[in-house]
Amino acid sequence: MISSKLERMSGDANYPAMKLLQLAAAALRAERFAEAEARFRQVLAHEPANGTALFELARLARDRGERETAKELLEQALAANPDHLQLLVLYGQNLHEMSRPREALNVFLRALSLNSTHAELWNAAGICFQETGEPARAMEFYFKAMALEPEFAEPYNNLGVVLSREGDMAGAADQFRQALALNPEYAECHSNLAVVLRDQHNYTGAIAAFREAYRLRPQNAENASCLGEAMGLIYEDGAEEMLRRGVELRPDDAEKHWNLALELLKRGDYAAGWREFEWRWRRTQKQVPLPAFDKPYWRGEPRQELHGSTILLHAEQGFGDTIQFLRYVPLVLGRGARVLLRVQPALDRLVGEHARASDGRVSVIAAEAAVPEFDWHAPLMSLALAFGTTLENIPSPLRLTPKLEEGRVRRAGQALRVGLAWAGNPRHDRDRERSIPFEALRSLLELEGCEWVALQTEPALAALRMSGMAFEQPALLDFLDTANAIDTLDVVIAVDTAVAHLAASQGVETWILLPFVADWRWLRPDTEHAGAATNPWYPQAKIFRQRELPSGQGQVELWRPVIAEVRTALVSLRDAQEQIAFG
């Protein structure tokens, strides 16, 4: 913003006030702030509308974080000096710091009407336009600031922020780089560039930028945590250290603990990981709040006896998470409890199949229905901590429908029935990486001797219809329909979605296709228990994962080697099944 020298704002008639102002200014220069404040207040006793004293007292209050006090002092000064530029600028800054951008904008526009030659004022007004939902006006004001002062880095950075929020990542990166060319020590801009590069899947570039931000501001918890998170995404050593540094710098920040939890779980350090995972309930971003029940939260502690009681187990995140963690229901039943299950509506009928086989010990409660009396409650994903889960004692997946008396028997001449789920929920943060562009699948789908079954719902089916490929498309209204379709298949090939969890839980041969940057449950590729092609949560499933580090290339290119590997495996399975079918 605008920095300025102390400027006289009152007349010279009051000699005591003048002398006290001189003493206050000397104390201010010597950084004796308490003395300076006392002197400025003495000035006001002699001259209540002295602009200089009010201005400096407001600055001191603002520096202490007392923004309401600063606001009152500045309003007193402006009442006597309504057109004073410095007062207006400080008043606008203070209002902005009070999270009142609309009021701050009006003040900055008033200041610009008095003097339109200051690039800092155009930039400040642009920030307020940006924060009040007017990105086009914000960009207009940033361009004006750049024209007035081409060497001023901040408007380039701010323009980059607007462009990134509007989805123009390449344009945003260009603006951030221009800002850094002007000011290589601009830590915030290094961090902003890193975020854009990360979103473009240029992870090595993002890590380099985050490193610069951390080098410049090593006491900034955000820089440490963001660097650690980016390093963890591509399995770089040192990620855990940086994430712990973020927690150390801001120990009450749930987001920092959440990022650490994901890294620990990815490394297979479940003892520490599940404890950190509980911080999710304090997150303010992308987290469904913990339901407010008047019954205690069951954590598996020694005095929390379950025998003879009723516990409500409730879903909390995605469909796949629910299916994965339903495996803990038999362990809860083993403690002698009766279980009430509240899951997402699309899972109600499927989970009901399991409940019907439980001799009345498990009941499914619809999401909108009243909950019967219960004694305890627990989120499904917290059961991993409650039961002390390690890589060695993960419970077996839970088949949710009755096991068929006879599995599918392939007869001579029959095609191999292959279920395919190539796309996940488009609203998922990392769906662009985990879902496979349909065009990348063509070499697989052209394989002879296979009968393809789409285990997808809209909007993914639109790509299938446009492809002209032959697919069976069963009506999948919910996950019970999906489970029944899976039971008719020889193999299911799925990306990291609920279909992969369901197929592996149902006991059907399942091949799971993972991007290079994979979710925590699939572990790091170099983790001992991750193995070459299996995972301890689904040891019977086969894992195919990208091996090439993303560096901005398209998803078709990244998936092509994986699809080739899957095609080879599918040929082997088809040929082996044909030999069995023909005897």
Side-chain angles (χ1 to χ4, degrees), residues 414-493:
Q414 284 186 321
L416 192 71
R417 283 179 59 79
V418 185
L420 183 63
W422 64 90
N425 182 345
R427 293 187 296 275
H428 188 280
D429 284 347
R430 311 205 71 86
D431 190 66
R432 194 155 57 111
E433 289 175 281
R434 68 171 184 165
S435 292
I436 303 177
F438 199 82
E439 59 186 291
L441 298 166
R442 190 165 294 274
S443 65
L444 185 65
L445 301 177
E446 291 171 348
L447 187 62
E448 294 182 356
C450 294
E451 183 178 286
W452 294 94
V453 179
L455 299 176
Q456 296 279 176
T457 55
E458 299 293 355
L461 288 176
L464 173 59
R465 287 192 292 271
M466 293 174 61
S467 73
M469 303 297 293
F471 262 85
E472 181 181 324
Q473 299 179 47
L476 305 177
L477 301 180
D478 64 8
F479 281 97
L480 178 58
D481 291 337
T482 306
N484 289 335
I486 285 171
D487 283 340
T488 71
L489 304 173
D490 295 299
V491 60
V492 171
I493 302 173

Side-chain angles (χ1 to χ4, degrees), residues 246-439:
V247 169
E248 175 190 339
L249 289 168
R250 199 176 295 168
D252 295 327
D253 188 328
E255 208 65 30
K256 307 295 177 287
H257 286 273
W258 167 257
N259 289 336
L260 175 59
L262 298 185
E263 177 64 18
L264 293 169
L265 294 175
K266 195 184 302 180
R267 289 177 172 274
D269 184 356
Y270 283 180
W274 298 127
R275 289 195 300 272
E276 292 289 338
F277 198 63
E278 286 299 293
W279 277 84
R280 68 194 184 279
W281 301 116
R282 304 190 199 182
R283 295 177 72 208
T284 57
Q285 305 173 29
K286 303 174 184 176
Q287 175 67 42
V288 177
L290 181 67
F293 297 116
D294 59 359
K295 301 296 183 182
Y297 187 147
W298 188 75
R299 303 174 186 275
E301 296 169 357
R303 295 184 181 180
Q304 293 185 320
E305 176 59 53
L306 280 184
H307 188 78
S309 65
T310 299
I311 183 169
L312 172 65
L313 303 179
H314 43 94
E316 55 172 286
Q317 295 189 30
F319 298 127
D321 299 298
T322 300
I323 295 168
Q324 179 182 354
F325 282 84
L326 282 170
R327 68 186 67 211
Y328 287 93
V329 172
L331 275 66
V332 175
L333 293 174
R335 296 283 183 97
R338 180 173 177 270
V339 171
L340 302 177
L341 272 174
R342 184 152 74 178
V343 298
Q344 299 93 327
L347 286 165
D348 278 349
R349 286 203 308 144
L350 175 62
V351 178
E353 289 291 304
H354 170 70
R356 276 190 283 277
S358 69
D359 299 326
R361 294 181 299 158
V362 178
S363 300
V364 178
I365 311 299
E368 68 281 359
V371 180
E373 282 297 313
F374 60 93
D375 304 294
W376 305 92
H377 80 94
L380 276 170
M381 298 184 78
S382 289
L383 296 178
L385 174 63
F387 284 99
T389 304
T390 67
L391 288 173
E392 287 71 32
N393 65 6
I394 294 174
S396 298
L398 183 65
R399 182 182 173 95
L400 294 166
T401 59
K403 191 168 182 65
L404 301 178
E405 292 184 9
E406 292 185 9
R408 169 173 152 75
V409 178
R410 188 167 177 231
R411 292 179 171 79
Q414 284 186 321
L416 192 71
R417 283 179 59 79
V418 185
L420 183 63
W422 64 90
N425 182 345
R427 293 187 296 275
H428 188 280
D429 284 347
R430 311 205 71 86
D431 190 66
R432 194 155 57 111
E433 289 175 281
R434 68 171 184 165
S435 292
I436 303 177
F438 199 82
E439 59 186 291

